[in-house]
Structure formats: structure tokens, C-alpha cells
Amino acid sequence: MESSEDEMEVDDTEWKQHLTDSLSKRPTPAHRVILHFDLDCFYAQVEMIRNPALRDVPLGIQQKYIVVTCNYVARQQGVTKLMSVTDAKQKCPQLVLVKGEDLTHYRVMSYQVTDLLLSFCPLVERLGFDENFVDITEIIQKRLTCTPVSSFKGYVYSTSTSFHPELALGSHVAAELREAIRDRLGLTSCAGVATSKLLAKLVSGTFKPNQQTTLLPENVDHIMGSLGGLRKIPGMYSKRLQALGLVSVSDLQLFPLTALIRELGSPCAAHLKNLSLGVDDSPVNPTGAPQSLSDEDSFKKMSCVKEVMDKIQQLLGSLVERMRKDGRQPQTFRLSVRKYSASNKWCSRESRQCPIPNHVGHKITSASSDDASAQLLSLAMKLFSKMVDTAAPFHLTLINVCFSNLQSRAPAASTRGSITSFFAPSACPQNPSQSPVAHSNVSYCLAVAALRKIIHREHLKNMKMTFPSLNNAAKSPIVRDAASPKAGPTQSTSSVPADASRPVTASRSSTCSDGGDADITATYRLPPNVDPQVFSQLPANLQTELIREWEQRRPIPKIPILSRKPGREAKDKKGTRRRSQANSLLDYFKPA
Ligand code: TTP
Ligand code: MG
């Protein structure tokens, strides 16, 4: 016990140091400029755009027996978000209700907003359907030199005598972006301007609707103190903290850290304590394309297999359609259910998943999506039977279907026997230094294996083929590292240059080459069965490796290598042999 107390003391000291460090990093007031956007009464706005006659009437969006949101006309009459339909009608008998269970239009509009923000700045992180964080720190640094401002746009949280030029300019940028969202998409929004995601989110709803608010560093304590309940802080484990008797933000601020560490562990305790003090260093993580697509429905009771099948079929219908539009091919299918239990009404979900056979995956993304739904239904029912004993009575309250592990499809094969179909851009390793043999992605490994097989077969057929030396290969455009512009991702169209030190999404940091087959064919004569374009899509390190292996198996070149020093060749040959033995993936493919 003694030693653990000692550890606590050490942790406490370390944490205090960490906090002091974090706080001491903050004094440059607008070290970061983060914007948070939250669309006003989002679903209601989308419905008002679809049907302008709804603009001036009190409007509620109904899902089951709940009004999930309502426009501000309805809010003025006492209707609130998540009110029951009965209560809402009582408050406002003229309330017009529109069903909002089909999310298609909301989803489309949601991504249009994110895309619009992305066209301005690459650092955009989605939060749910109607919120986005944007890190404009760099834009501000650049603009500040040529466009200094002397005032804030919108509201400033609380009063302050000091001026913060970065945040002031940030407020102008936020106003410009809100205006763009309104002019181009017809949506009004609120924005928060602050030095972190946490603070920007907390301040953005201070004045609603269609307003924006800036939080200055000297008012952080004030806003944190004014929050009241811990639930107001995003990411707070309020239930666990409640069990410790902590209800308000100031409760947590004052709670001894050692006790918090004992309950939650050191990193978590420090994180929560930081949040309660308004300290949040988390970066804006650019959101790429969604990693999975899912659809679900909840209900009071579902207890017969036929109903389950019908519901899954219905969910799959729209999900497959969305997947087809997305264009990527899902590799994994997951089914989740929520079982009712009298003791725990909202007991947690249970899931089972399985790989999607390639022919079914292909159908999902092609025109034969009806066929795909039928086959997926059969997969789903197999998963269902693993979770629910259908011979006994059951009571479900939710079903969710999900596609994950989404992979970009390969371009159509250009020639018969082409290996193009093996290559999907997302199958390339994220890290150019990653060895292909260590890569676990099955389609990637298949692609590599297929290519090597072809190379090997061609080598046996064409013993007279000539190759450049390895030294040349190292200088060739094929052998380029990730820092080389050729190896980089497609250039962003944004006017803001990407910062290499910033986190980037997988889709943007793909190490696939962006073409360059002209370079390859100019330098190497690839075997006729190898599509140069496909070859050029391989990561640079893999191209190099294949060329190397290829060269190791080549016959003595017709043209002697002139630059070698005497005695070096024997040594090289030895090295080559050793290398070939040590890393002989080609040995998997015995000569035909
Ligand atoms: P919110 O941003 O919470 O609400 P809102 O945009 O409708 O209104 P506000 O002006 O206060 O920001 O949620 C965004 C959308 O998400 C909302 O329009 C409807 C939907 N939603 C649900 O489906 N379930 C929920 O529990 C909540 C809160 C919202
Ligand atoms: Mg909103």
C-alpha cells in the first residue's frame, strides 16, 4: 500500500507539472485559432429548404414519437428538442410535423457543408451531422500580416479590455464562412471562435440562432465556472464522476487528483481534470471519407423472425444504395441488435460480423445491388442466429446493419490478363517504409503476389531482356521516397498549403503514386503482361523492391556495367544471393 501511495504522489506531481506546462504553453493567447460551426435546427432547416412553405410555420421533425428538433418559430412557442410529440402538440397546437426518419437529405446536406469548409481549409473535423471544427491557425498567421483587423465580428464572450488580433481575425473568418454556408447552401449556423476545440464548442451556442461568439483566454475560467453540470463538457464521463459525488464542473476542478487517479487511472484523471479547467490540446483531426456506413432502426418491441428479416431487408435496401453511391467496396458486414431486459431497459448492443465474399461485395457496388441485398440478408440472418436464440421468446429494441473496411475499387482492367483488378488504391500501405511482407491487407498481398508471379514467369520466358543497373534504379523516378513530390498525394486544390507536420487522413496521405508510367516505361521495360499504369500505382518502395528482385533474377546483361570497381562484382553477387535468400518472396512462386 505504501508504495502505491508513493506512486500516487509521484503521479500527482507529474500531473501538476503537466498542467503547469499546458497552461504555460497557453499564454500566447491565440496560439491556435479553432472554429466550431453548429447548424441551426438542422433537420428542420433542410425540410424548410425542401418545402419553403414550412419556413414561417412552427415545424417539428418527428422520429417515432419524439420531436428530435424544431425550427425557431416552434421554439418561440415552447417546443424544445427531444420533446414528445404529445407534449409538443400541447405546447403548440399549430405545430406542423414532418417525418424525419429517412436521413438521406440530412446526410447529403451535412457533407455539403463539410465540403464547403474543406474547400477553404483542409483541417476540418466533422462532429455528428451538423457540427464541424476548423483549425484556421495557419490561415490566420498568413492573413494577419496583410489584413490586420481592429475589431471582432459577432459577440465576444464576457467583457475584456485586451485585444487578441488572432482571435479577432478568426471571428472575421468565421463570419465569412457562415455567410458562405448561408449563401451557397441556404443554411444558417452558429460559430464559436476560441483557442481549442473544447472552448470553441462550448462558446458557439452562447447566442442562437445565426450568431457567433468569440472566447478570449482571460474568460476561460468564467465560462468553465458557468457551465454548471459536468454533462455540459463534451467527453466527460459524467456517470462515473457522479458516482464519486461530482456533479458540477467546479466539483471536479476541486476534487483531489490523487482520489481521481485512484478511481480512473492516471491518464484519464489528468485528461478530465484538464477538461474541467478548460485545457484541451486535442488537434483538429481532418475527417476523411467515413470509415463505415451503417443504418439502424429502433422500436418498442420486435419478437418474431419474420419481422426481423423484413426490418433487415429494409435497412439493407437503403444501405446498399448508399454504398453503391459511395463507390467503395465493403469487406466486412456487421449486424448489431439491442435486447430488451426488464432490469436494464437500454441494455447495450451486441454485434457479430463476418467478411463479405468478394462476389457479393462486387454486386453491392455494381448495378446488381438487389442481388447483393438478398445475399447479405442471408449473411445477416446467420449472424442474427448467433446472437439470438429464435427457438426461445426474444424482445429486440434495435437493429443496426453496418458495412466497414471500405476499400476503393480498382479501375477496370485494361487488357485481358491484366492484374489491374488486384490493385485498389486503399490497399497500398499507409507508410512507405512499411515492408509489403509485413502488410496484412489481403488484397494488397494478393496483388503483390500476382505481380511477382507475372514478373517471374516473364523472366523465365524472356531471358534476353535487358535492365538498367541497380545503381540507376536508385536514381530513377521509380525509386522515390515519400518526400518526393511524385510520391505525394494529389495536390490539394485548397489555397492553404498542407503542413507536413499536421495529421492527415489516410485518403490524403495515400502513398500510392499518382501515375508516372511514362517515367517507368522510359527507364524499364516491364514484362508485357505487367500494365505500366498499374505498376506505377504501387507504392514507390514496392516498385523498387520488385525491380530489385526482378534484377536479381535477370540474366547477365548484354551491356557490361562499366562503373564497377574490380573485385566488387563477386562481393555484390554474394550480397545479392544472400539478399535473395533472406527475402525471397519470389520463392513462393516456383517456375512454371
Ligand atoms: P443539434 O445540433 O443538437 O440540434 P439542431 O441543429 O436541430 O438545433 P440547434 O439550433 O439547437 O443546433 O442536432 C442536430 C440534428 O441532429 C438535429 O437537427 C436533429 C438531430 N438530432 C437527433 O436525431 N437526435 C437527437 O437526440 C438530437 C439532439 C438531434
Ligand atoms: Mg445544430
Side-chain angles (χ1 to χ4, degrees):
M1 287 307 281
E2 216 170 285
S3 70
S4 78
E5 277 303 315
D6 286 350
E7 278 166 25
M8 289 296 182
E9 282 308 313
V10 172
D11 276 340
D12 201 354
T13 320
E14 275 178 3
W15 176 80
K16 277 179 189 151
Q17 188 58 49
H18 169 78
L19 181 61
T20 321
D21 287 351
S22 318
L23 291 169
S24 65
K25 272 185 213 142
R26 281 203 296 151
T28 347
H31 162 64
R32 290 197 296 163
V33 184
I34 310 290
L35 309 181
H36 173 260
F37 294 91
D38 183 343
L39 298 165
D40 299 324
C41 57
F42 180 44
Y43 290 7
Q45 278 209 82
V46 173
E47 295 301 342
M48 292 190 295
I49 290 170
R50 295 180 71 208
N51 178 5
L54 297 172
R55 278 206 174 279
D56 301 320
V57 300
L59 171 68
I61 306 301
Q62 180 178 0
Q63 284 180 353
K64 301 280 156 46
Y65 39 89
I66 297 285
V67 175
V68 287
T69 193
C70 53
N71 65 3
Y72 278 79
V73 181
R75 289 187 200 192
Q76 275 159 14
Q77 299 184 33
V79 184
T80 60
K81 291 191 273 188
L82 302 180
M83 195 176 242
S84 75
V85 169
T86 321
D87 289 351
K89 276 284 191 188
Q90 247 170 23
K91 284 266 177 211
C92 174
Q94 315 80 5
L95 185 70
V96 176
L97 289 169
V98 169
K99 292 267 186 200
E101 271 139 16
D102 179 358
L103 305 181
T104 311
H105 299 290
Y106 313 140
R107 189 179 293 113
V108 168
M109 191 59 100
S110 166
Y111 277 97
Q112 281 180 3
V113 173
T114 305
D115 285 349
L116 194 156
L117 295 171
L118 274 169
S119 69
F120 173 78
C121 171
L123 294 176
V124 178
E125 179 179 342
R126 287 168 60 80
L127 183 66
F129 261 19
D130 82 331
E131 294 176 54
N132 287 278
F133 290 107
V134 187
D135 184 338
I136 56 165
T137 310
E138 266 189 42
I139 292 171
I140 293 297
Q141 297 303 340
K142 285 183 188 133
R143 264 171 76 163
L144 208 52
T145 48
C146 46
T147 337
V149 292
S150 55
S151 63
F152 288 89
K153 276 268 181 182
Y155 292 95
V156 176
Y157 183 93
S158 198
T159 48
S160 172
T161 46
S162 55
F163 184 68
H164 299 270
E166 291 92 346
L167 289 171
L169 187 53
S171 73
H172 285 252
V173 172
E176 284 166 27
L177 288 171
R178 285 179 48 241
E179 201 176 310
I181 295 170
R182 201 195 55 214
D183 291 351
R184 291 189 220 168
L185 303 172
L187 295 165
T188 63
S189 59
C190 285
V193 184
T195 53
S196 72
K197 289 201 300 186
L198 171 71
L199 298 173
K201 182 170 165 59
L202 287 178
V203 81
S204 74
T206 314
F207 298 96
K208 288 166 85 166
N210 197 17
Q211 300 293 341
Q212 65 175 65
T213 315
T214 303
L215 180 72
L216 305 179
E218 53 268 36
N219 292 322
V220 171
D221 292 345
H222 187 275
I223 197 170
M224 297 313 295
S226 71
L227 287 178
L230 280 169
R231 283 159 50 108
K232 295 273 171 61
I233 302 183
M236 199 45 88
Y237 309 148
S238 50
K239 281 206 175 128
R240 283 188 76 178
L241 295 174
Q242 244 171 25
L244 297 174
L246 306 178
V247 181
S248 70
V249 175
S250 54
D251 287 346
L252 178 56
Q253 287 175 342
L254 298 172
F255 194 72
L257 183 69
T258 43
L260 203 58
I261 290 171
R262 210 174 294 125
E263 291 298 326
L264 307 172
S266 179
C268 180
H271 175 65
L272 295 185
K273 194 86 164 165
N274 271 334
L275 288 183
S276 75
L277 293 161
V279 177
D280 168 36
D281 289 335
S282 64
V284 170
N285 290 310
T287 317
Q291 299 300 299
S292 62
L293 293 187
S294 69
D295 208 347
E296 69 180 30
D297 203 358
S298 59
F299 24 80
K300 279 186 179 159
K301 183 171 187 179
M302 190 168 284
S303 53
C304 107
V305 176
K306 171 78 174 65
E307 274 182 322
V308 170
M309 279 180 75
D310 288 349
K311 180 52 73 184
I312 294 177
Q313 195 163 25
Q314 180 203 336
L315 291 171
L316 278 173
S318 64
L319 187 65
V320 166
E321 182 57 17
R322 275 169 59 204
M323 198 68 253
R324 195 181 59 73
K325 283 187 185 150
D326 177 281
R328 287 173 295 167
Q329 184 173 321
Q331 306 295 310
T332 306
F333 175 70
R334 185 170 67 232
L335 181 76
S336 307
V337 296
R338 189 174 60 201
K339 293 175 187 167
Y340 177 86
S341 93
S343 54
N344 180 6
K345 196 171 159 218
W346 299 111
C347 68
S348 57
R349 299 172 185 216
E350 198 179 329
S351 303
R352 291 287 185 286
Q353 65 180 39
C354 65
I356 299 174
N358 195 40
H359 67 279
V360 180
H362 188 70
K363 280 179 184 162
I364 294 171
T365 48
S366 67
S368 40
S369 45
D370 284 351
D371 241 13
S373 296
Q375 284 165 338
L376 285 163
L377 178 63
S378 140
L379 278 184
M381 292 317 290
K382 277 185 198 151
L383 297 176
F384 182 74
S385 66
K386 290 182 182 167
M387 293 184 279
V388 178
D389 177 6
T390 51
F394 62 87
H395 179 165
L396 303 181
T397 59
L398 176 141
I399 293 181
N400 174 295
V401 290
C402 174
F403 289 139
S404 60
N405 194 4
L406 314 179
Q407 296 194 356
S408 301
R409 276 185 302 168
S414 54
T415 53
R416 196 167 176 270
S418 158
I419 56 167
T420 310
S421 59
F422 284 103
F423 296 96
S426 65
C428 297
Q430 308 272 310
N431 175 359
S433 64
Q434 212 174 349
S435 160
V437 287
H439 206 264
S440 60
N441 186 306
V442 174
S443 60
Y444 178 81
C445 294
L446 276 175
V448 174
L451 187 55
R452 284 180 169 146
K453 202 169 182 176
I454 289 169
I455 289 170
H456 181 62
R457 209 184 290 135
E458 287 307 312
H459 158 74
L460 290 173
K461 274 203 277 179
N462 188 4
M463 296 294 281
K464 286 180 184 164
M465 198 173 280
T466 56
F467 297 93
S469 74
L470 249 182
N471 286 343
N472 284 346
K475 287 177 205 152
S476 91
I478 297 173
V479 190
R480 56 200 181 216
D481 61 23
S484 146
K486 288 243 174 197
T490 315
Q491 287 288 309
S492 162
T493 52
S494 162
S495 56
V496 186
D499 180 347
S501 67
R502 292 204 177 283
V504 283
T505 54
S507 59
R508 286 181 213 172
S509 62
S510 163
T511 55
C512 293
S513 147
D514 53 354
D517 43 321
D519 292 344
I520 290 159
T521 45
T523 320
Y524 298 102
R525 281 172 49 198
L526 296 169
N529 276 10
V530 177
D531 184 334
Q533 208 176 350
V534 172
F535 189 81
S536 73
Q537 285 173 21
L538 289 169
N541 65 322
L542 179 57
Q543 291 184 7
T544 312
E545 191 185 326
L546 287 165
I547 294 292
R548 246 184 220 139
E549 289 187 28
W550 200 350
E551 166 138 307
Q552 282 167 19
R553 292 194 173 244
R554 76 186 170 90
I556 307 295
K558 277 184 185 170
I559 306 161
I561 298 165
L562 299 173
S563 60
R564 278 192 182 154
K565 287 182 188 156
R568 177 85 186 270
E569 195 158 338
K571 211 173 163 186
D572 277 1
K573 267 190 187 165
K574 218 170 144 189
T576 303
R577 220 178 296 130
R578 224 188 352 250
R579 230 180 6 241
S580 143
Q581 279 163 6
N583 189 18
S584 57
L585 265 178
L586 277 173
D587 293 346
Y588 285 110
F589 310 108
K590 300 273 184 269

